[in-house]
Amino acid sequence: GESVGLHLPTLSVQEGDNSIINCAYSNSASDYFIWYKQESGKGPQFIIDIRSNMDKRQGQRVTVLLNKTVKHLSLQIAATQPGDSAVYFCAESSSGYELNFGKGTSLLVTP
Amino acid sequence: DADVTQTPRNRITKTGKRIMLECSQTKGHDRMYWYRQDPGLGLRLIYYSFDVKDINKGEISDGYSVSRQAQAKFSLSLESAIPNQTALYFCATSDAGEQTQYFGPGTRLLVL
């Protein structure tokens, strides 16, 4: 299948700073993208998604940017808090149902 | 997500044993999925079901079987467990026509 990868396996940010987590994908037919947050001992939790007909979508303190030209996806977290510490996964779909997941980025928020 | 529950949450078993992991959902979703997560890897799809009469293999179905007993229940079986099936197992659901999947809390399985 097509690969979905992350540029950095770990990211450390200071509390209050903005965080940017990046994701690259290779399937030009991907039309749906989603970000999940996974805390230790828990299942992945939906954060935000975006379809390929958009290049930006905002949620509460989070923004997803999609650059289809370079097949790049990013998750921006504003004013990062200790509770944001977790592993973040991106996933893409071109089938309408099957999600292909990246390996994850560990975000560590330091005081 | 409390709407998707998995039992057991932790399981230790021995090589060659048959075990079943269960998933229940109260979200009313038609579609259900089983994933496996290994350290340093993303989630990989084992099986998925679009409704009670529809079962499909995912990327890594070998060594696993599933049963969709009802719209709300989807179980995963390891017929003869082997150590490399030690992993975290997640169930997920989605509404028909929607791509957002909602995950359960996971089952941690150790095969000795």
Side-chain angles (χ1 to χ4, degrees):
Chain A
E2 297 288 342
S3 64
V4 179
L6 290 160
H7 292 308
L8 296 172
T10 60
L11 177 64
S12 182
V13 299
Q14 280 200 306
E15 183 177 355
D17 288 351
N18 295 335
S19 303
I20 300 176
I21 302 171
N22 296 304
C23 183
Y25 65 97
S26 57
N27 185 359
S28 56
S30 299
D31 59 4
Y32 176 79
F33 305 86
I34 188 168
W35 283 98
Y36 286 94
K37 172 186 180 183
Q38 186 177 22
E39 296 174 277
S40 181
K42 297 183 179 181
Q45 177 186 1
F46 168 75
I47 301 174
I48 193 168
D49 59 1
I50 188 169
R51 299 197 179 278
S52 59
N53 61 352
M54 303 173 67
D55 53 21
K56 180 179 179 179
R57 193 172 187 206
Q58 290 183 290
Q60 188 177 18
R61 279 201 308 118
V62 295
T63 300
V64 56
L65 298 178
L66 175 63
N67 185 329
K68 295 180 287 294
T69 302
V70 296
K71 298 187 181 68
H72 185 268
L73 185 72
S74 68
L75 177 70
Q76 300 180 1
I77 305 173
T80 313
Q81 303 168 359
D84 294 327
S85 292
V87 176
Y88 290 81
F89 291 95
C90 66
E92 58 83 17
S93 177
S94 58
S95 65
Y97 59 91
E98 186 170 348
L99 293 177
N100 298 304
F101 285 83
K103 294 179 173 56
T105 290
S106 178
L107 176 65
L108 177 64
V109 182
T110 57
Chain B
D1 192 317
D3 297 325
V4 184
T5 57
Q6 294 183 233
T7 55
R9 293 296 314 279
N10 294 279
R11 178 74 184 267
I12 301 174
T13 191
K14 294 182 179 180
T15 297
K17 294 291 187 181
R18 181 182 188 277
I19 68 162
M20 179 183 291
L21 309 182
E22 298 187 351
C23 176
S24 294
Q25 53 113 349
T26 59
K27 299 182 80 67
H29 289 169
D30 289 321
R31 300 179 176 185
M32 298 186 74
Y33 309 80
W34 275 104
Y35 288 89
R36 167 179 174 158
Q37 184 179 40
D38 296 280
L41 299 178
L43 286 85
R44 293 182 291 168
L45 184 62
I46 306 173
Y47 270 95
Y48 61 98
S49 169
F50 282 177
D51 62 40
V52 175
K53 297 181 180 180
D54 179 81
I55 302 289
N56 303 280
K57 293 182 178 180
E59 177 189 353
I60 54 164
S61 60
D62 286 350
Y64 303 95
S65 62
V66 292
S67 175
R68 184 81 184 268
Q69 301 97 321
Q71 186 205 35
K73 296 184 182 296
F74 193 35
S75 60
L76 176 72
S77 294
L78 285 68
E79 298 301 325
S80 179
I82 56 176
N84 77 359
Q85 291 178 311
T86 293
L88 270 171
Y89 290 85
F90 290 101
C91 174
T93 74
S94 69
D95 211 354
E98 297 292 329
Q99 291 166 287
T100 307
Q101 295 181 21
Y102 298 90
F103 285 80
T107 294
R108 187 176 296 275
L109 175 66
L110 174 61
V111 183
L112 300 175

